[in-house]
Amino acid sequence: MALLKAADDHLSIETLAVAPSRQGCGVGSRLIAFAEEQTKLNGVTKLRLYTNERMDENLVFYPRQGFTESHRGRSDGF
């Protein structure tokens, strides 16, 4: 599942979730590709996402998908 949110200058991946039984099967990569397509369709050039620093799997997965960390901060108490 991917939950995307449009902003004026970017699209955000608010949630990206893959069932444990399907992890490692390319589902997450396909969801990222879908988000990239939606970014283009929305006429913006930036795709952003946020993750918790405790999500070790995400911190490994997202760079493999081409994402780079821009900063760390607090959001909604996290």
Side-chain angles (χ1 to χ4, degrees), residues 19-73:
S21 63
R22 301 297 296 157
Q23 291 175 1
C25 298
V27 176
S29 297
R30 289 194 297 275
L31 288 170
I32 295 287
F34 172 78
E36 290 170 339
E37 291 171 19
Q38 295 304 304
T39 300
K40 292 175 189 172
L41 290 174
N42 277 275
V44 294
T45 59
K46 296 179 205 166
L47 177 60
R48 296 182 180 170
L49 62 88
Y50 303 94
T51 191
N52 189 298
E53 66 184 1
R54 293 184 180 173
M55 302 294 252
D56 296 328
E57 299 89 354
N58 293 355
L59 298 176
V60 172
F61 175 72
Y62 291 131
R64 282 194 255 150
Q65 302 301 311
F67 287 91
T68 57
E69 184 176 326
S70 62
H71 65 281
R72 292 189 181 205

